[in-house]
Amino acid sequence: MHETDGTREDTGQIRALWAEMARGWAAGDAALFAANFTPDCDFTTVSGDKPAGRDGIEAGHAALFDGPYAGTVLGARVVAVRFLGPGLATVEAESTVSAPDGKPLTTTHALAVVERTPERRWLIRAFHNMIPAPRTARRTREEESDAQPAPDDATARPTLRHLAIVARDPEQLARLYSSVFAMELFHRDPDGSCFLSDGHLSLALIKHRLDGDTPVGMNHFGFHITDTAAVSEALTAAGTPKPAERFTDRPFAEYRAMDPEGNWFDLSEHGFGGPRPPAGPAGRG
């Protein structure tokens, strides 16, 4: 663990936040889980949802504990703590959710910002949860460049590399796209969301929540770009809202933007993950 400008006591209290989250999860106690976050915490789920502060985190996890994650156990491990200054630090943590029989369901990686309150208590101020790329898909920089074609260097033209659809039955759609179009399923969420790729474009089939407001159908798309600052400047000059940073890592995008019609799209310099394209006439390999 890398530690600077922080005491052992500070580090211990920060690590205890993740232990308390695991305890709240095991007990199915959403209030105990959410108590580790500031009231206005900026929280982003693996699906890109942003519950409103501590109350939203509690409500969202109460639904999980009563639904798809009922009876599950959270194993959390703090990987690194970096103190940015007095009372402020970043934390990297890995978590695994396991079924009641001990079978691992999903593993996530989180980047968090923690702060010390005036009462000398450490709380999580910002938290971004993400699903790391499968180990079998992790490659060298050269291989990744081959598998994730960058935008045309001559024109720096952005390329469409990601689509996300909210579906009632992601598994049914995944079987269709896998069998007919030879897309490869490279990740499945415990709630049934499926992530596929043809080696060039990633397709997220997000499980629809019956009690949610998000409609079924196209949700957002994503561009692979070479210069975030230049694209952001061009978008704001065209009259769109300034793209917002998502504080995430592959296979999720770094920025979320919106066009004048209200359509969401992602901007990513690193690409959207997924396996290589299939070999043969239809692929580039």
Side-chain angles (χ1 to χ4, degrees):
M1 178 177 295
H2 178 67
E3 302 170 15
T4 59
D5 302 326
T7 67
R8 288 184 177 274
E9 181 181 0
D10 289 327
T11 302
Q13 290 180 8
I14 291 170
R15 292 172 62 87
L17 294 173
W18 271 259
E20 280 295 287
M21 281 191 282
R23 192 164 70 89
W25 191 293
D29 188 336
L32 178 59
F33 181 91
N36 299 284
F37 301 86
T38 62
D40 60 345
C41 178
D42 183 358
F43 189 102
T44 305
T45 71
V46 293
S47 299
D49 296 328
K50 295 183 75 67
R54 181 188 291 164
D55 290 343
I57 295 169
E58 179 178 346
H61 282 79
L64 291 178
F65 297 157
D66 288 338
Y69 288 97
T72 59
V73 176
L74 176 69
R77 182 174 73 92
V78 173
V79 176
V81 177
R82 181 184 180 189
F83 290 92
L84 306 178
L88 189 66
T90 60
V91 179
E92 292 183 53
E94 294 179 350
S95 300
T96 298
V97 178
S98 300
D101 62 1
K103 180 181 179 181
L105 296 176
T106 189
T107 297
T108 63
H109 185 97
L111 177 63
V113 176
V114 296
E115 69 175 4
R116 189 171 52 217
T117 67
E119 295 76 27
R120 308 293 295 178
R121 180 188 179 193
W122 285 92
L123 291 174
I124 301 171
R125 180 77 176 187
F127 187 97
H128 194 108
N129 215 11
M130 62 196 80
I131 299 173
R135 291 187 180 276
T136 56
R138 293 177 185 174
R139 300 177 285 273
T140 66
R141 184 177 297 275
E142 291 76 14
E143 290 174 327
E144 187 68 27
S145 176
D146 178 61
Q148 294 288 329
D152 191 315
D153 290 335
T155 62
R157 180 178 64 187
T159 52
L160 189 64
R161 286 285 182 260
H162 176 69
L163 294 175
I165 298 171
V166 177
R168 295 187 181 91
D169 191 344
E171 289 283 355
Q172 181 183 43
L173 293 187
R175 287 194 295 271
L176 170 70
Y177 294 131
S178 297
S179 62
V180 177
F181 299 103
M183 298 191 77
E184 183 175 342
L185 178 67
F186 67 92
H187 180 79
R188 181 187 285 107
D189 275 352
D191 68 357
S193 298
C194 297
F195 300 80
L196 302 95
S197 174
D198 63 358
H200 304 291
L201 183 144
S202 69
L203 176 64
L205 304 175
I206 303 170
K207 176 68 175 178
H208 181 251
R209 299 177 182 175
L210 297 180
D211 59 347
D213 297 327
T214 303
V216 171
M218 183 62 66
N219 184 264
H220 67 272
F221 50 96
F223 287 101
H224 189 184
I225 60 176
T226 58
D227 190 334
T228 301
V231 173
S232 296
E233 183 178 351
L235 285 170
T236 53
T240 69
K242 182 179 179 181
E245 191 170 1
R246 298 189 66 199
F247 298 101
T248 184
D249 197 358
R250 185 167 60 88
F252 302 99
E254 304 100 284
Y255 284 81
R256 171 61 59 83
M258 181 183 295
D259 69 19
E261 295 281 336
N263 298 301
W264 290 348
F265 58 92
D266 291 338
L267 302 174
S268 175
E269 290 188 9
H270 56 55
F272 293 89
R276 289 175 175 272
R284 298 182 183 180

